[in-house]
Amino acid sequence: QVHLVESGGGLVQPGGSLRLSCAASGLTFTSYYMGWFRQAPGKEREIVAAINWSGGSTFYADSVKGRFTISRHNAVKTVYLEMNSLKAEDAAVYYCAVRRTASTVWSYWGQGTQVTVSS
């Protein structure tokens, strides 16, 4: 059974940084594209960043380009999201998800971790 467990969320001041982690189990990690999504109250869930199996290909939403960095460590089945220069509008519940490389469906999701940006 696939499990994704996010950690690293919390309260940070505007301009601050956080590093989110997502530990995966129950899957062949290198067969999956990994992604980070977020959902703020009253808004739809949106993709933030994604990374292919090798880390050689990444995607970022325009709103986070230059501030967030996605990476993965296949040996420990973990994907990270380094978030810098955080803004109030980055506050949301952040979720990690996986999809098979050849699929367009994000098939498994974590439970989410809250990121609050406030002074």
Side-chain angles (χ1 to χ4, degrees):
Q1 189 171 1
V2 176
H3 287 285
L4 302 173
V5 180
E6 301 98 334
S7 60
L11 172 64
V12 63
Q13 292 186 345
S17 298
L18 280 175
R19 187 193 198 203
L20 306 183
S21 299
C22 172
S25 61
L27 75 169
T28 303
F29 194 65
T30 51
S31 296
Y32 287 84
Y33 212 82
M34 304 295 297
W36 284 98
F37 293 73
R38 68 186 180 188
Q39 187 167 22
K43 295 187 177 181
E44 293 188 354
R45 188 174 298 187
E46 61 176 352
I47 188 166
V48 174
I51 188 168
N52 75 333
W53 74 273
S54 68
S57 177
T58 56
F59 164 85
Y60 295 96
D62 287 343
S63 58
V64 306
K65 280 181 182 177
R67 300 188 298 121
F68 290 13
T69 302
I70 188 170
S71 61
R72 64 191 291 165
H73 189 171
N74 289 339
V76 295
K77 295 187 177 182
T78 300
V79 63
Y80 306 97
L81 185 67
E82 185 76 34
M83 305 186 295
N84 298 313
S85 302
L86 282 161
K87 305 175 181 179
E89 52 264 41
D90 294 318
V93 178
Y94 282 71
Y95 301 89
C96 75
V98 300
R99 66 170 175 84
R100 287 194 176 273
T101 301
S103 172
T104 60
V105 177
W106 294 92
S107 47
Y108 299 102
W109 295 81
Q111 82 289 348
T113 186
Q114 177 72 51
V115 172
T116 303
V117 184
S118 175
S119 55

